[in-house]
Amino acid sequence: MNQIQTMPSRFRNPIGKFTVHRAENCAQCGKCAAVCPHGVHAKGGDKMLRPRSHLCAGLACARAADGCVLQCPARALSVEINPVFQALGDYRWTGDLILSTWHQAATGQLPYMEMENDCGASGGGLDRIRILLPEKTSGISPDQVDLRLNLNRRGDGRPEVVIDLPIYGGGMSFGSISQNTMAARARNAEAWNTFTCTGEGGYPEALYPYDRHVITQVATGLFGVREETIQRVRMVEFKYAQGAKPGLGGHLLGDKVTAAVARMRESVAGNALFSPFPFHSVYSIEDHKKHVDWIKHVNPRALVSAKVSTPADVEMVAVGSYYAGAHVIHLDGSYGGTGAAPEIAKKNIAMPIDYAINKTHRFLAQEGIREKIVLIASGGLRTVHDIFKAIALGADGVVIGTAEIVALECLRCKNCESGRGCSRGIASTDPELAALFTADWAFQRLYNLYASFAAQLRGLLAACGLTRVTELTGRTDLLTHLDYQREQK
Ligand code: SF4
Ligand code: SF4
């Protein structure tokens, strides 16, 4: 039975937000070890060990009257912000959000440290939207909240596919990430009865035990796409575009095309691989329908998802996909993507997901088909607050990608595509780098993160008086925008 288990950092010296210094005048009395509730200080024999700074709760705790700094009779302790922390992240994925995600992946809990867990510092998009929690308690316990989501609402005779929480893992190909990372994501998807997506790079054998929880992707390069792989799964995703780089297709540089990747993609090791944009077989909704019909013919039980980026007429695309026969419209807004997506593309091409979701949700409702199609959103969703906001804006569920990678201790260094790939072994197919962690370690980190996300989402829904996540869709009254608040003053 899967359960939360502490799964510590891979860093020899884990990175924390704070750094605790013990000066040379320390008398080795051990008082700090007695007062600190977080185990920062400990004695080894008759000597104090080096402070475990990553466990420090923060400046307020350290400097409180009963905190270690003031309790130390020798005044030998000082606490400050860790300069390594200050160098981490960017405005969207701040150092706080990275460390918070690491902590959740390590423990299954939100951090007790002074840390922002909910919002980034971009000053725009979801970072300017806040959740309006009712002042009165609802009387609903988080345990009563049902997070299940049915991915087939068409009533078309295909199976209903119900996932246990409205979150699944986004497409990342074998080639862009290691097989260890893929296998861990798939095992986690099985543990939570949800899905993970292969991306466009074939279907490694390591995923076979998890077929029921894998979405296989069909994209423009058709790498690794075979009838046999389409028949393995319960959901097939057409990737028409990615929000992080619409119009650019995909590019796997030669150094990452190892012999194993080349074999999977039926290519040659060392040759760069390019997935063009767009599908040159699809220039109309009728063409799109032929695609959907092809999958439905090859696998009569599979659901079909259409992943699109967010152009200005995204709502028309969604309606067209419904009439073409898709079960799921997956809107992928800007801001997501790994280091493989150029920064200029991530920030400047697709519509931010917060606009796209609500526009599409309302248009589908006007057209009378909202109840028949599942709307999934992705594109830089980092936290449970982001997930709540996306659903309240009109999505039924969300896809996360980067948050899973961060759970594996991605540093957001954006070198995923350079040379042999990620120095942390996450986004690399180099055998030496990919062996830097085990699939067991990665699975437990992902499991813990999902446990924390599920608990937080249940808590927020219960606080809002909702007993089912499906009741949250379109509840924009539970959100407020900081710009709008300013105008009201
Ligand atoms: S309380 Fe101060 S003097 Fe005593 S062990 Fe801790 S740092 Fe050293
Ligand atoms: S740590 Fe790895 S996965 Fe994360 S951004 Fe750097 S290269 Fe990419």
Side-chain angles (χ1 to χ4, degrees):
M1 162 110 172
N2 296 303
Q3 56 188 8
I4 294 173
Q5 284 175 33
T6 304
M7 193 46 74
S9 168
R10 290 188 278 144
F11 290 107
R12 192 179 307 148
N13 295 307
I15 301 169
K17 182 168 178 178
F18 306 98
T19 181
V20 182
H21 294 287
R22 191 191 315 281
E24 285 185 359
N25 62 329
C26 167
Q28 317 293 330
C29 69
K31 181 89 188 276
C32 48
V35 299
C36 176
H38 304 297
V40 174
H41 308 282
K43 230 174 175 176
D46 56 357
K47 289 264 184 220
M48 292 303 295
L49 301 176
R50 195 168 70 167
R52 293 191 291 172
S53 295
H54 66 286
L55 300 177
C56 176
L59 305 178
C61 174
R63 293 170 187 164
D66 57 355
C68 64
V69 172
L70 293 181
Q71 287 290 315
C72 170
R75 291 288 187 269
L77 293 173
S78 61
V79 178
E80 59 190 41
I81 302 278
N82 182 359
V84 175
F85 161 80
Q86 287 173 316
L88 268 183
D90 51 44
Y91 289 117
R92 285 197 52 74
W93 267 100
T94 58
D96 274 19
L97 290 187
I98 292 174
L99 288 191
S100 168
T101 307
W102 288 359
H103 186 92
Q104 292 173 73
T107 65
Q109 311 280 337
L110 275 172
Y112 56 80
M113 296 90 174
E114 289 165 25
M115 212 171 266
E116 171 56 56
N117 304 301
D118 304 326
C119 274
S122 69
L126 294 170
D127 289 341
R128 286 198 72 71
I129 296 175
R130 295 288 180 276
I131 298 170
L132 289 173
L133 289 178
E135 284 172 13
K136 279 193 188 159
T137 55
S138 68
I140 294 171
S141 154
D143 297 340
Q144 291 170 260
V145 175
D146 182 354
L147 295 180
R148 286 177 303 166
L149 179 65
N150 177 10
L151 296 175
N152 181 8
R153 302 205 295 225
R154 289 190 76 95
D156 60 353
R158 285 179 181 249
E160 290 196 346
V161 174
V162 178
I163 51 178
D164 283 353
L165 73 177
I167 304 169
Y168 59 82
M172 288 182 223
S173 67
F174 178 49
S176 73
I177 58 173
S178 72
Q179 198 158 304
N180 258 356
T181 309
M182 287 188 100
R185 296 180 79 214
R187 190 173 151 201
N188 181 57
E190 181 187 59
W192 286 99
N193 186 30
T194 183
F195 282 103
T196 189
C197 178
T198 59
E200 185 200 18
Y203 200 112
E205 276 182 34
L207 302 188
Y208 288 3
Y210 311 107
D211 282 342
R212 286 182 57 75
H213 302 280
V214 173
I215 298 169
T216 196
Q217 192 177 77
V218 178
T220 53
L222 296 177
F223 291 121
V225 175
R226 299 193 190 94
E227 287 196 354
E228 184 263 331
T229 58
I230 291 167
Q231 286 161 348
R232 296 195 83 88
V233 296
R234 293 189 293 165
M235 186 144 93
V236 178
E237 175 179 279
F238 276 109
K239 182 180 77 181
Y240 287 98
Q242 262 175 279
K245 43 184 176 176
L248 297 181
H251 199 178
L252 189 66
L253 297 181
D255 282 340
K256 288 185 81 176
V257 184
T258 58
V261 173
R263 205 164 37 249
M264 185 68 61
R265 297 188 181 216
E266 297 175 67
S267 179
V268 176
N271 263 19
L273 299 175
F274 189 63
S275 305
F277 179 88
F279 265 114
H280 290 297
S281 48
V282 179
Y283 284 98
S284 66
I285 285 300
E286 290 77 12
D287 291 343
H288 176 32
K289 182 170 185 326
K290 282 185 210 159
H291 258 182
V292 174
D293 287 348
W294 162 45
I295 297 299
K296 288 183 173 178
H297 180 73
V298 172
N299 184 341
R301 294 179 63 75
L303 306 188
V304 178
S305 167
K307 176 176 176 179
V308 295
S309 67
T310 50
D313 59 351
V314 61
E315 73 277 31
M316 299 298 292
V317 174
V319 170
S321 270
Y322 168 75
Y323 284 108
H327 300 87
V328 171
I329 303 292
H330 173 174
L331 302 179
D332 190 32
S334 55
Y335 302 134
T338 64
E343 283 299 297
I344 194 162
K346 283 199 253 194
K347 291 178 180 162
N348 297 291
I349 306 182
M351 186 191 302
I353 194 63
D354 36 316
Y355 287 96
I357 295 169
N358 194 249
K359 190 174 153 80
T360 307
H361 167 68
R362 284 185 290 131
F363 193 67
L364 290 169
Q366 277 169 29
E367 293 291 304
I369 53 175
R370 182 65 187 91
E371 297 308 316
K372 296 279 184 192
I373 188 132
V374 176
L375 192 59
I376 296 288
S378 65
L381 304 179
R382 304 149 294 179
T383 65
V384 169
H385 276 236
D386 283 355
I387 293 168
F388 184 102
K389 291 168 194 173
I391 299 176
L393 283 165
D396 295 298
V398 302
V399 159
I400 57 172
T402 304
E404 290 188 354
I405 297 303
V406 173
L408 306 184
E409 289 191 325
C410 160
L411 290 157
R412 299 284 296 149
C413 67
K414 301 181 183 135
N415 287 325
C416 319
E417 278 300 279
S418 310
R420 296 188 297 158
C422 169
S423 60
R424 306 285 296 141
I426 308 163
S428 176
T429 47
D430 180 86
E432 203 180 331
L433 292 171
L436 287 176
F437 60 85
T438 64
D440 284 347
W441 178 87
F443 159 71
Q444 191 63 52
R445 298 276 298 191
L446 293 170
Y447 184 89
N448 290 350
L449 180 73
Y450 270 63
S452 176
F453 275 18
Q456 290 174 65
L457 189 55
R458 281 203 172 90
L460 286 173
L461 291 166
C464 293
L466 305 177
T467 53
R468 290 196 298 267
V469 71
T470 48
E471 295 166 5
L472 177 62
T473 298
R475 287 290 305 274
T476 49
D477 58 305
L478 294 172
L479 303 176
T480 184
H481 197 283
L482 297 184
D483 287 353
Y484 179 65
Q485 284 185 331
R486 196 173 55 207
E487 280 165 19
Q488 275 190 328
K489 280 182 188 165

